[in-house]
Amino acid sequence: MSPEPRRLRRESDGAMIAGVCAGLGHYLNIDRNLVRIAVIVLTLLTSGLAAIAYGFAWIVLPADARTPEAPADRPAARRGSWLVGAGAGLIVLGLLFVLRAAGVWWSDALVWPLVLASTGGALLWRQFTGPGRPGRNSRWRASRGGSANYRVAFGLALVLGAGLLFLYINGALDAAGTVALGALTVIVVLGLVLAPLWARLLRNLGEERAARIRSQERAEVAAHLHDSVLQTLALMQRHSDNPREVSTLARRQERELRDWLSGKSEAEREASLADMLEATAAEVEEDHGVPIEAVTVGDRQLDDHGRAVAGAAREAMVNAARHAGEGGPVRMFAEISPQRVQVFVRDRGPGFEIGEVPEDRRGVRDSILGRMKRNGGRAEVRSMPGEGTEIELTMETR
Amino acid sequence: MSPTTVVIVDDHAIFRAGVKSELEKGVKVVGEASNVHEAILMIGKKQPDVVLLDVHMPDGGGVEVIRQVAELDSDPPRFLALSVSDAPEDVVQIVRAGARGYVTKTISGPDLIEAIKRVGQGDAVFSPKLAGFVLDAFADSPGTEAGDPELDLLTPREQEVLRLIARGYLYKEIARRLGISVKTVEAHVSAVLRKLQLSTRHELSRWAAERDLVDWD
């Protein structure tokens, strides 16, 4: 359940008329009733212009894909097309009255052609642009059967009829300029008929591209699983008599898969101190076959201080893996803040009295201590027989 | 004392079988369920002490199980969440829903038995990973939204306890190191759990919101 990118859509769920306000409210993340009130107030203030905008939004906005107006598996003519067509016609009629009342007017001859053309155009638009959903090419072809076809034909007839009517009225009034007017009318009619088709084509293209990206992603996942997971599973079957080997393989595969799922790029991982420490723990685990549980809190850009701490932490983990691998997992805990980096490496090995440090362990301790000191930090070793050992690395930065 | 009774809820049959055979050594497995619906029925029928709950399942996962059981049952069992994922949002989701602890599926058998017994007694179980995450979530300053500072900040002592858990210390080792009793350590951990569930810190809220846990309408 991934969070869907918010899109401006009509919301059929909780719609009062067509869900335009609800959709707008959802998109802007405000209460839908506030949007409704705003639209009503605007309608009153603009003598109806806002209502026309509403109708336009109704036609243009795609419906909420979650509740399609017609079930996808039963392709049918879109419901409410007649209403929308008639509504568009009435809206245009209303708009013309408003313009006329406002004094912007050319000729009464415009009225009927325009109303008819808008009704037909709206019908066509409704038929060609349904709620956007993947794989709907087939649906569109299927939906042309029966009633849908009839509506398309009727819409076309209305638009063409409007064009003819316009020509006829103007031709009767004025014979001059008929050719230019005719050409213009043809262009307008074609535009009305073709615009919905074009809009539909654009949307289908977008959907096809999304589908292609999805299938590419799928192929990539399959390739990755094949290269890594299946190979590891095969290896594990061949080593089934060696539990240690199997567990090492499983952990390595788990880590790889987690890295891959995290979606971070190589560069991003290299720039982070927390990721560097976790990667170091993973490497030591792989080299020595001892599980290392790494926990990090906070993060910051990897710098020389950070590299020094990571280097010392590696020594500490190698040391723990070598001497205390049998006592259970080694734990690495790192707390990173802008002022300070602190790393704890704890094992559950036999432990020892600080006074009686074996030579080889002292050597490692000195190398850790030395490295931290050179870089302005400090290291501390705590150990008790029977309680394991903990090495603490601290680096203060300004 | 009779052994702790457990119901295992996980949609992977192989995993259920494996866990069950491991658990038989220390606790009593009284039922199994492979999805949310079965889990609700099984928990209602068997009334176990503890439910071992997979976070990721179809139909809402472990969170949904906790929610529905809490609606039906006035005295619900305790939940221990189990998951392959260490993602912080999974942890916050399940713990905020009411789980008493969170362990990953790589936990060893004896450790898992120990964790189940602990949860059965009403204590919280913090793995080092979970402790690290909680420290991360409560780091820096308190949330910017109007919240309860009591809930939005960890006390220095709670932080200290969480750090030691993250470093791999057992409760009794923490108690010895800090010079307090094991009971006090448990009290601190329970307090942290409560804050995690009730805090209004924006990090926690944001994770919840991204996961659609918050109803926008």
Side-chain angles (χ1 to χ4, degrees), chain A residues 1 3 29 32 251 254 258 293-298 331-333 335 344 346 348 382 387 390 392, chain B residues 84-86 106 128-129 132-133 135-136 163 166-170 173 176-177 210-212 216-217:
Chain A
M1 197 166 65
N29 201 9
R32 53 187 56 156
R251 287 186 68 90
E254 180 190 345
R258 280 190 198 285
E293 304 279 352
V295 176
T296 58
V297 169
R331 299 201 178 272
M332 192 274 287
F333 171 60
E335 196 169 13
F344 300 87
R346 179 173 165 80
R348 296 208 164 266
R382 276 183 297 271
E387 285 213 350
E390 187 174 50
E392 177 180 343
Chain B
V84 290
S85 163
D86 299 325
T106 48
K129 272 266 186 227
F133 156 65
L135 280 171
D136 225 355
R163 279 198 188 100
R167 280 157 64 178
Y169 282 66
L170 303 174
E173 291 168 338
R176 202 176 326 136
R177 205 187 145 95
E210 280 171 2
R211 285 274 155 159
D212 275 350
W216 286 106
D217 279 359

Side-chain angles (χ1 to χ4, degrees), chain A residues 204-226:
Chain A
N204 281 349
L205 277 179
E207 277 163 9
E208 262 160 36
R209 202 174 53 216
R212 204 165 53 239
I213 289 169
R214 268 198 298 278
S215 82
Q216 269 170 7
E217 275 170 356
R218 219 188 103 74
E220 203 179 299
V221 170
H224 181 88
L225 289 180
H226 189 265

Side-chain angles (χ1 to χ4, degrees), chain B residues 146-191:
Chain B
D148 185 347
E150 280 276 291
L151 290 173
D152 286 349
L153 280 179
L154 299 177
T155 67
R157 196 53 152 199
E158 286 162 358
Q159 288 184 21
E160 216 168 347
V161 169
L162 283 180
R163 279 198 188 100
L164 287 170
I165 293 175
R167 280 157 64 178
Y169 282 66
L170 303 174
Y171 283 15
K172 63 172 192 286
E173 291 168 338
I174 296 171
R176 202 176 326 136
R177 205 187 145 95
L178 298 180
I180 55 180
S181 72
V182 173
K183 274 271 155 260
T184 314
V185 175
E186 279 163 1
H188 283 308
V189 174
S190 292

Side-chain angles (χ1 to χ4, degrees), chain A residues 118-295:
Chain A
S118 54
T119 305
L123 262 179
L124 287 175
W125 191 279
R126 282 283 292 181
Q127 264 338 111
F128 286 125
T129 55
R133 41 174 47 240
R136 49 198 290 275
N137 269 345
S138 54
R139 186 183 154 217
W140 135 237
R141 230 167 277 129
S143 75
R144 295 188 65 210
S147 169
N149 234 348
Y150 181 53
R151 284 174 212 199
V152 171
F154 191 76
L156 272 174
L158 276 183
V159 174
L160 292 175
L164 289 176
L165 186 65
F166 182 65
L167 285 181
Y168 169 74
I169 294 169
N170 283 286
L173 290 178
D174 182 10
T178 313
V179 176
L181 199 62
L184 191 70
T185 310
V186 168
I187 288 168
V188 169
V189 165
L190 278 181
L192 272 175
V193 173
L194 292 180
L197 276 175
W198 181 65
R200 178 182 193 90
L201 192 71
L202 277 188
R203 210 194 289 170
N204 281 349
L205 277 179
E207 277 163 9
E208 262 160 36
R209 202 174 53 216
R212 204 165 53 239
I213 289 169
R214 268 198 298 278
S215 82
Q216 269 170 7
E217 275 170 356
R218 219 188 103 74
E220 203 179 299
V221 170
H224 181 88
L225 289 180
H226 189 265
D227 284 352
S228 61
V229 179
L230 289 182
Q231 302 277 12
T232 302
L233 287 175
L235 269 177
M236 281 163 73
Q237 285 169 37
R238 287 177 43 187
H239 288 281
S240 55
D241 52 335
N242 184 348
R244 196 167 173 137
E245 182 77 5
V246 166
S247 120
T248 309
L249 281 170
R251 287 186 68 90
R252 187 173 62 200
Q253 183 56 61
E254 180 190 345
R255 232 173 13 243
E256 258 183 49
L257 203 55
R258 280 190 198 285
D259 277 353
W260 189 69
L261 288 173
S262 78
K264 280 192 193 170
S265 72
E266 198 83 4
E268 272 176 301
R269 251 180 275 143
E270 273 170 11
S272 143
L273 176 54
D275 286 338
M276 170 89 175
L277 283 166
E278 277 171 23
T280 305
E283 279 167 30
V284 176
E285 175 177 305
E286 204 162 305
D287 291 349
H288 295 267
V290 173
I292 298 181
E293 304 279 352
V295 176

Side-chain angles (χ1 to χ4, degrees), chain A residues 21-49:
Chain A
C21 291
L24 195 63
H26 182 81
Y27 181 71
L28 298 173
N29 201 9
I30 50 179
D31 193 278
R32 53 187 56 156
N33 286 319
L34 286 180
V35 182
R36 282 173 185 144
I37 292 166
V39 167
I40 291 168
V41 170
L42 274 176
T43 306
L44 294 176
L45 287 179
T46 57
S47 1
L49 272 174

